[in-house]
Amino acid sequence: MGFVKEFKEFAVKGNVMDLAVGVIIGGAFGKIVTSAVNDVIMPLVSAVIGTPDFSNMYTVLKGTVTEGAALADAKAVEGAVVFAYGNFITEVISFLLLALVVFMLVKGVNKLREAEEKLTKKKEEEAAPAVEEPKGPTQEELLSEIRDLLRNQK
């Protein structure tokens, strides 16, 4: 099989297309979460904690940096070692929010699937004909008749 034909079969498989759609939607969803964290959650957290901007939170480990300087200015000081933890805090909050939203989304989809399965099962039960009991003598009655016939033959 030629390389182009093999690649074409691979590229148009359902899983690859589903993955591509997922990546595109995930990228857009990531932007929404980033905006929610930066524009909604972080200002609220900052209002409670009192720090207006987490991205400029840092500690100087080595060197002399002017107190209250912006992170970029602190990093620009020659010989200074800056432990910038503020952006990390923002990214952790962003990750936790994204994980929570994905969890809620998966939970909702699972509930929809369960409801659909119950409905399908109910429809199948309603559509299935009721099993009727066979009419006529029971097994015990037939065995009794056979016994009686065997007795009469002796």
Side-chain angles (χ1 to χ4, degrees):
M1 184 182 319
F3 177 79
V4 173
K5 185 176 179 182
E6 189 176 347
F7 178 74
K8 182 179 177 184
E9 287 180 12
F10 168 78
V12 296
K13 284 184 179 177
N15 293 342
V16 174
M17 297 306 288
D18 292 344
L19 179 63
V21 169
V23 168
I24 292 168
I25 290 174
F29 188 69
K31 289 180 181 180
I32 292 170
V33 171
T34 300
S35 175
V37 169
N38 292 339
D39 301 332
V40 178
I41 294 173
M42 293 310 287
L44 294 174
V45 171
S46 295
V48 171
I49 294 175
T51 306
D53 184 13
F54 277 21
S55 63
N56 279 320
M57 293 176 71
Y58 63 90
T59 299
V60 179
L61 300 176
K62 180 180 175 187
T64 307
V65 176
T66 307
E67 189 174 329
L71 177 61
D73 296 335
K75 285 184 175 182
V77 173
E78 189 173 329
V81 178
V82 179
F83 179 64
Y85 58 88
N87 191 45
F88 178 75
I89 292 171
T90 302
E91 293 301 323
V92 167
I93 292 171
S94 178
F95 169 78
L96 292 174
L97 179 64
L98 180 62
L100 176 67
V101 170
V102 169
F103 171 75
M104 298 302 287
L105 181 67
V106 169
K107 190 174 179 177
V109 168
N110 286 341
K111 282 188 178 183
L112 287 174
R113 283 186 182 160
E114 288 174 10
E116 182 181 3
E117 287 173 6
K118 285 180 182 178
L119 183 62
T120 303
K121 187 176 179 181
K122 185 177 179 181
K123 284 182 180 179
E124 288 174 357
E125 289 174 356
E126 289 174 356
V131 178
E132 294 183 25
E133 291 294 321
K135 296 180 181 179
T138 64
Q139 184 177 5
E140 289 81 14
E141 292 172 340
L142 290 173
L143 288 172
S144 296
E145 287 180 28
I146 293 171
R147 180 195 65 207
D148 293 341
L149 287 171
L150 289 173
R151 278 188 195 161
N152 292 339
Q153 284 184 355
K154 290 185 181 180

